[in-house]
Amino acid sequence: MATEGRSRKLIIGLVVAASIIMGKLFYIQIIEDKYKINASNNSMVYDIIYPTRGIIYDRNGQIIVGNKVAYDILVTPKEVTPFDTLMLADALGVSPDFIRDKMAEYARNRRKIGYQSMVMLKQIKPEAYMKFAEIQYNFPGFRGQVRSIRDYPFNAGGNLLGYVSEVDQKYIENHPGEYRPGDYAGKTGIEAAREKELRGEKGYHIYLRNSRNQIQQRFKDGEFDKEAIPGNDIVTTIDAELQHYGQMLMQNKVGSVVAIEPQTGEILTLVSSPGIDVEMLADIGQHYDEIARDPHKPMFNRAVQAAYPPGSVFKLVNGLIGLQEGTLTTENAYPCAGGYHFGNHKLGCHNHKSPLALEEAVMMSCNAYFCYALRNVLENKKYSNIGEALDKWNEYVQSFGFGHKLGSDFPAELGGTLPTSKMYNKRYGENGWKFTTIISISIGQGEIGVTPLQIANLAATVANRGWYRIPHIIKSSEGVEIDPKYNEKQYTMVDTTNFKKVINGMWRAVNSGYGSGGTASVAAVPGLDICGKTGTAQNPRGADNSVFICFAPKDNPKIAVAAYIENAGFGATWAAPIASLLIEQYLNGEISEERKGLEKRVLDGNLMSRVKAER
């Protein structure tokens, strides 16, 4: 009896299992179409519908990247029958050999290609497309495809916007299930940073194929077709007019200009020069080799990727740290006898009055003063040794946004470099170094490396009296959200009250008048109250780099700018005029007659031969 009971249970179990399996098969084969569609892929043709890529706007609603129609010719090799090569070549405006070579290539890869459609010709002229359409019936397996490509109605920064190009196998592998051969994606700039929002979602029409591989009709009258979903539009923080003007000022110069709205951290202008002209972006494939061979590296975005010595603009940071540490006061005056003397050595300085207190030291950019300022910080008795003091200094400097990535939403941003006690101990040995060993960091040289974006952020931080919002280039808009971190204030470790003490020196550097000792009088614009600091950064590859940071107006500032020009000499020679012209154009909407001569000098200035010769 026990044996019969076990047999009965076994039979019941088998019946239940069989019922479940049969029910599942019935559902899959009769009810659920998805599995039938997947199993029938060999008899179906998916005609891909490419979505319209999202439009990119500037902060004022001006289109800086739009779309225009492009025409491609596709071929499905397995559907091709013998055809008139000369007729097809004539219609498409190519040589017969081009078509023969393509077909031979497809034949060699027929197993890999299968029933895929390949893009044989991209972006043909509309006349050629129409000519082909009239005779397409003669060429089974060939068809046209209409898609949109990028259009640039305004010249507002090729490096900033980035380019869209066809994905390669590596890109496809890095984005599994998202792309296939023939698809396009943003590769650099905003196009890459916001690829997911801009690209949209592909659609398709499904057609049936008969036993002779001929397309017959729509599958189930299009019930399972999918419409393409356009990409989301992007609103940037960029002022297109100001961006274009910045590019004009930087023409024939190597370097970068960055402008930020201090209160919001929104990037108004980000120029890297030489850069990629927007006319090249629409067909980057045709120009890629030319751009890549350019010795001045136009694809290299200096604004966020070049780590330069900041030079004398960094004196502001050292002065502020000294004030916060209590090792420096506004009344402290230090001598400058042509520089800072130590032993038989001297860190030189230009001629000016001596001794100097803080305001005048900022105004005249005295090297000796800021050597004393940093020496007092590093030799502060509250620290057990200079290594501990330096690491505290490093912590202060990092709070200004140096030594690490700022966290901007712009791709490929670098963080720069800052020295630490560990670095110097490794180089000179434990206790094998002192202040005079590393004296160059007093004036922004030595082991300090910063990007133009970081020093523009320094200008914004000083303008805000001690805080900044992380610089960013995208605004929130419908369908596009920005990270909440861009709305948060980032405070430095220096009290707000200390900033006004260096700001007065920055104001005097620009507005004290020619001959007063101010290093940036060339940047003065009546009524704008520009505050600025010049820098001349040593360059091991040639002439010094010209640096200038500024903001305006002094109270309730609307714009902060950093200009960094390679091999251009003193900060007041090129960087200060460029930055101040950008500010004047932004705040006044025009350049005054009194400064038209300065504008012409900058627009006509060509430093490329100097840079090329030195490299």
Side-chain angles (χ1 to χ4, degrees), residues 565-579:
I565 321 300
E566 294 185 28
N567 305 102
F570 294 118
T573 306
W574 289 103
I578 288 171

Side-chain angles (χ1 to χ4, degrees), residues 262-542:
Q263 288 290 319
T264 63
E266 294 180 354
I267 297 173
L268 302 170
T269 297
L270 192 146
V271 177
S272 177
S273 180
I276 306 172
D277 194 283
V278 294
E279 291 182 3
M280 293 184 172
L281 293 181
D283 189 8
I284 194 69
Q286 181 180 336
H287 299 285
Y288 189 86
D289 287 343
E290 173 191 347
I291 295 169
R293 287 195 302 267
D294 190 320
H296 297 300
K297 301 179 181 178
M299 295 184 74
F300 177 61
N301 194 323
R302 290 168 171 82
V304 295
Q305 294 179 304
Y308 298 108
S312 293
V313 299
F314 196 78
K315 293 173 181 175
L316 299 174
V317 179
N318 282 332
L320 286 163
I321 293 172
L323 291 172
Q324 185 65 28
E325 283 283 276
T327 57
L328 183 69
T329 71
T330 54
E331 291 75 32
N332 287 137
Y334 294 106
C336 180
Y340 181 86
H341 298 260
F342 54 104
N344 295 322
H345 304 282
K346 179 180 76 169
L347 192 156
C349 189
H350 59 282
N351 291 326
H352 56 72
K353 63 173 289 188
S354 176
L356 293 170
L358 180 61
E359 258 188 48
E360 287 186 322
V362 171
M363 169 188 171
M364 297 180 181
S365 194
C366 174
N367 287 346
Y369 181 93
F370 289 97
C371 289
Y372 284 108
L374 184 62
R375 186 194 70 179
N376 293 347
V377 169
L378 297 184
E379 295 181 356
N380 191 344
K381 297 301 181 184
K382 75 176 183 179
Y383 299 109
S384 59
N385 55 57
I386 190 172
E388 183 184 349
L390 180 74
D391 289 339
K392 185 64 177 181
W393 170 89
N394 183 290
E395 189 181 341
Y396 272 112
V397 177
Q398 290 208 43
S399 76
F400 282 82
F402 296 108
H404 57 82
K405 294 180 182 179
L406 281 166
S408 168
D409 55 357
F410 197 82
E413 178 198 352
L414 296 184
T417 56
L418 286 178
T420 63
S421 62
K422 184 178 179 181
M423 175 193 297
Y424 288 137
N425 286 340
K426 185 176 181 180
R427 182 180 299 177
Y428 301 110
E430 194 83 28
N431 301 318
W433 54 281
K434 54 186 178 179
F435 166 66
T436 52
T437 313
I438 60 172
I439 190 172
S440 59
I441 68 173
S442 304
I443 58 170
Q445 296 288 162
E447 293 77 20
I448 303 173
V450 304
T451 65
L453 179 64
Q454 287 175 322
I455 58 172
N457 188 62
L458 171 62
T461 302
V462 176
N464 290 333
R465 278 65 172 172
W467 61 269
Y468 65 90
R469 287 192 170 94
I470 298 173
H472 55 283
I473 209 159
I474 304 296
K475 282 177 169 283
S476 287
S477 57
E478 186 177 351
V480 178
E481 294 295 326
I482 66 170
D483 194 309
K485 71 180 183 180
Y486 297 120
N487 296 318
E488 299 170 1
K489 289 183 177 180
Q490 312 291 323
Y491 286 92
T492 70
M493 293 168 58
V494 176
D495 293 341
T496 298
T497 54
N498 287 320
F499 281 82
K500 66 180 181 181
K501 300 167 185 176
V502 299
I503 288 172
N504 288 337
M506 294 175 70
W507 186 90
R508 291 178 65 183
V510 177
N511 298 284
S512 292
Y514 182 76
S516 66
T519 56
S521 57
V522 69
V525 181
L528 293 190
D529 271 347
I530 296 175
C531 300
K533 178 71 189 76
T534 54
T536 306
Q538 294 174 6
N539 174 18
R541 293 192 298 264

Side-chain angles (χ1 to χ4, degrees), residues 128-394:
Y129 183 82
M130 296 304 296
K131 192 173 181 180
F132 166 77
E134 292 174 0
I135 61 171
Q136 182 179 345
Y137 65 90
N138 291 305
F139 304 98
F142 291 87
R143 60 189 174 89
Q145 173 179 267
V146 180
R147 65 189 300 165
S148 65
I149 61 171
R150 292 315 232 174
D151 182 47
Y152 304 88
F154 197 88
N155 190 355
N159 297 72
L160 172 72
L161 302 172
Y163 65 84
V164 175
S165 68
E166 187 174 352
V167 297
D168 56 21
Q169 191 57 40
K170 184 177 180 181
Y171 194 94
I172 293 171
E173 291 169 359
N174 290 338
H175 300 81
E178 297 182 55
Y179 300 90
R180 68 175 202 168
D183 287 353
Y184 284 68
K187 296 297 184 67
T188 61
I190 294 172
E191 295 278 19
R194 290 291 170 167
E195 167 66 10
K196 288 186 177 180
E197 290 98 336
L198 287 167
R199 71 185 179 189
E201 192 173 330
K202 288 180 288 188
Y204 49 78
H205 295 309
I206 307 176
Y207 295 92
L208 285 176
R209 193 196 312 266
N210 65 17
S211 59
R212 290 187 294 275
N213 294 327
Q214 296 171 328
I215 293 175
Q216 288 187 309
Q217 76 261 357
R218 298 275 286 275
F219 176 68
K220 287 205 169 185
D221 295 324
E223 181 183 344
F224 292 95
D225 289 355
K226 178 183 176 183
E227 293 301 317
I229 301 173
N232 290 315
D233 296 340
I234 295 290
V235 179
T236 72
T237 64
I238 294 298
D239 184 310
E241 299 284 350
L242 193 68
Q243 175 76 22
H244 180 64
Y245 185 61
Q247 289 170 198
M248 291 173 60
L249 296 174
M250 286 297 294
Q251 192 168 10
N252 294 319
K253 303 165 189 72
V254 175
S256 182
V257 179
V258 181
I260 297 173
E261 186 176 67
Q263 288 290 319
T264 63
E266 294 180 354
I267 297 173
L268 302 170
T269 297
L270 192 146
V271 177
S272 177
S273 180
I276 306 172
D277 194 283
V278 294
E279 291 182 3
M280 293 184 172
L281 293 181
D283 189 8
I284 194 69
Q286 181 180 336
H287 299 285
Y288 189 86
D289 287 343
E290 173 191 347
I291 295 169
R293 287 195 302 267
D294 190 320
H296 297 300
K297 301 179 181 178
M299 295 184 74
F300 177 61
N301 194 323
R302 290 168 171 82
V304 295
Q305 294 179 304
Y308 298 108
S312 293
V313 299
F314 196 78
K315 293 173 181 175
L316 299 174
V317 179
N318 282 332
L320 286 163
I321 293 172
L323 291 172
Q324 185 65 28
E325 283 283 276
T327 57
L328 183 69
T329 71
T330 54
E331 291 75 32
N332 287 137
Y334 294 106
C336 180
Y340 181 86
H341 298 260
F342 54 104
N344 295 322
H345 304 282
K346 179 180 76 169
L347 192 156
C349 189
H350 59 282
N351 291 326
H352 56 72
K353 63 173 289 188
S354 176
L356 293 170
L358 180 61
E359 258 188 48
E360 287 186 322
V362 171
M363 169 188 171
M364 297 180 181
S365 194
C366 174
N367 287 346
Y369 181 93
F370 289 97
C371 289
Y372 284 108
L374 184 62
R375 186 194 70 179
N376 293 347
V377 169
L378 297 184
E379 295 181 356
N380 191 344
K381 297 301 181 184
K382 75 176 183 179
Y383 299 109
S384 59
N385 55 57
I386 190 172
E388 183 184 349
L390 180 74
D391 289 339
K392 185 64 177 181
W393 170 89
N394 183 290

